[in-house]
Amino acid sequence: MDLANLQAAMRATYGDRDSSRGADSTFRWFTEEVGELARAIRTGDRANLELEFSDVAAWIASLANLLDVDLNEAVARYATGCPKCHRQPCACPI
Amino acid sequence: MDLANLQAAMRATYGDRDSSRGADSTFRWFTEEVGELARAIRTGDRANLELEFSDVAAWIASLANLLDVDLNEAVARYATGCPKCHRQPCACPI
């Protein structure tokens, strides 16, 4: 799924709720999902792990919608290598 | 950018570093970026906000690579509506 499609899907499904709730509350939901992702990594439950990754991605898309950020444009800086050293693989000092 | 392309770009750019560092350390980096996103939301700096969204997305892709999760497959559950109530817009009780 293209990031633009993910944002469009989240807008169509949750846009009104996200707007009513606002950015700070949506950020709180997002961090709740980050915690659930941490738990899924700890327990090693594969099915749950994929689900939690999807929830984190979905909530990032919702947050980006609320804050008028186009994720495709944002991530373009990573398309061809490291945005800092411009190399692929990255050659930045570790 | 398709999520598969984002994962491929991150794998090509940072895959070796991510593997050496491991999932827990990568998760810690990811949460560092989440904190930077929170700060960008607070300060309202638009350019920095887009950059921090891109970093959060990038680190989620790195983490998904390390844990063998295909983000495209994972987010498919959101493609046509709410994965819980299967409606678009969502009709779940708030």
Side-chain angles (χ1 to χ4, degrees):
Chain A
M1 196 188 298
D2 191 84
L3 283 164
N5 294 345
L6 179 60
Q7 285 192 260
M10 295 304 292
R11 192 176 297 115
T13 304
Y14 303 108
D16 288 347
R17 292 175 179 232
D18 291 345
S19 294
S20 299
R21 185 192 313 117
D24 280 350
S25 189
T26 300
F27 188 84
R28 176 177 47 72
W29 271 102
F30 164 66
T31 58
E32 188 174 324
E33 298 297 341
V34 170
E36 292 183 10
L37 176 60
R39 182 167 61 238
I41 293 171
R42 176 171 57 78
T43 61
D45 178 333
R46 286 296 306 177
N48 190 234
L49 183 64
E50 292 196 20
L51 189 145
E52 299 304 347
F53 264 106
S54 81
D55 287 350
V56 169
W59 281 99
I60 270 287
S62 274
L63 198 58
N65 286 340
L66 276 184
L67 295 165
D68 291 317
V69 170
D70 180 320
L71 289 175
N72 264 343
E73 287 184 10
V75 302
R77 62 198 284 269
Y78 281 100
T80 56
C82 174
K84 287 193 171 80
C85 69
H86 306 292
R87 304 274 291 278
Q88 193 177 60
C90 169
C92 293
I94 290 181
Chain B
M1 196 187 300
D2 189 84
L3 283 163
N5 294 344
L6 179 60
Q7 284 191 260
M10 294 304 292
R11 192 176 297 115
T13 304
Y14 302 109
D16 287 347
R17 293 174 178 233
D18 291 345
S19 294
S20 300
R21 184 193 315 115
D24 280 350
S25 190
T26 300
F27 188 84
R28 175 176 49 73
W29 271 104
F30 164 66
T31 57
E32 188 175 322
E33 297 298 339
V34 169
E36 291 184 9
L37 176 60
R39 180 166 62 235
I41 293 170
R42 175 170 58 78
T43 61
D45 178 334
R46 286 297 305 177
N48 190 236
L49 183 64
E50 293 196 18
L51 189 146
E52 299 305 346
F53 264 106
S54 80
D55 287 349
V56 169
W59 281 99
I60 269 289
S62 274
L63 198 58
N65 285 340
L66 276 183
L67 294 165
D68 290 318
V69 170
D70 181 320
L71 289 174
N72 265 342
E73 287 184 9
V75 302
R77 64 198 284 268
Y78 282 100
T80 55
C82 174
K84 287 194 171 77
C85 69
H86 306 291
R87 304 276 291 276
Q88 193 178 60
C90 169
C92 293
I94 292 181

